[in-house]
Amino acid sequence: LKSTAPLGAIHPLSCGACGRAVGAMQLNRLANKVTSTYIMDPYSMLMHYKRAFKLMSVLKKEKAKVLILGNKNQFGIDWKGRFEGIEFDTGIVDEMVISTAPKYYQMILCLDPVLYAKALRKLNVPVMMCATAREITQHPEILDVTDYLLPSPSSRHDAALRQIIAEQAFGGSDKDE
């Protein structure tokens, strides 16, 4: 807004005591930017972490084969270094690899749920998804495909919670941060 009032006149947007000084200035209004952040309930996040890490520890004991899809929500975990007993397969994945996954793998770990949700529907192998609260909110069909949800931390608090649960599930310190 530019002031069109003559010098010395009281501007309609000014207050009483400083009205004369404001009348000579140019007033610019800045629009506030509205942002929205998605948060996940800490208790439900804790339960999802416990359940996912319990499954990972069982897979580690059984020396299972896991197919990793995508590379989006890795959130600082060295999958191959952290879970030494589990054989992770990454690489070029097409529909044929996904459709034959129950024959060769004990679990699918999907790091990009929005991209692979449709292809993972109706598979007879457990699917663990790493997803952010935003992805779950914007694409609720992810939950129809997911057997185990591993929430992707969106803050340092979430990452610390994940680290504590990982230490409890696997013992020792979490070296991947």
Side-chain angles (χ1 to χ4, degrees), residues 6-158:
L7 188 60
I10 297 177
H11 193 275
L13 297 177
S14 65
C15 58
C18 59
R20 290 194 183 347
V22 172
M25 294 191 307
Q26 290 185 357
L27 298 175
N28 295 321
R29 182 171 177 247
L30 300 174
N32 292 335
K33 183 179 177 184
V34 177
T35 59
S36 63
T37 55
Y38 297 91
I39 58 172
M40 185 178 259
D41 178 40
Y43 182 75
S44 65
M45 186 179 291
L46 175 76
M47 291 295 109
H48 284 296
Y49 281 140
K50 282 186 174 184
R51 186 170 184 242
F53 286 134
K54 185 176 179 180
L55 174 68
M56 296 295 278
S57 66
V58 169
L59 291 173
K60 184 176 180 179
K61 288 177 190 172
E62 298 294 323
K63 299 190 185 306
K65 289 183 73 175
V66 175
L67 175 64
I68 297 181
L69 301 176
N71 59 3
K72 186 176 178 185
N73 293 321
Q74 293 186 23
F75 61 83
I77 290 183
D78 176 23
W79 294 104
K80 292 182 180 180
R82 180 71 175 140
F83 306 102
E84 292 172 14
I86 302 175
E87 184 180 336
F88 290 102
D89 286 343
T90 58
I92 299 172
V93 178
D94 58 358
E95 289 180 26
M96 187 66 173
V97 173
I98 293 172
S99 64
T100 60
K103 186 176 180 180
Y104 301 106
Y105 301 101
Q106 283 73 41
M107 187 181 80
I108 295 177
L109 176 63
C110 183
L111 302 176
D112 194 353
V114 176
L115 182 63
Y116 291 103
K118 197 175 234 181
L120 293 174
R121 196 165 295 224
K122 297 182 181 176
L123 280 181
N124 291 332
V125 65
V127 176
M128 182 181 293
M129 295 267 191
C130 297
T132 62
R134 176 184 299 263
E135 290 172 336
I136 294 169
T137 304
Q138 291 177 347
H139 304 280
E141 66 273 6
I142 291 172
L143 297 176
D144 295 335
V145 178
T146 305
D147 296 313
Y148 295 88
L149 180 64
L150 188 58
S152 185
S154 57
S155 68
R156 282 190 280 167
H157 173 267
D158 297 344

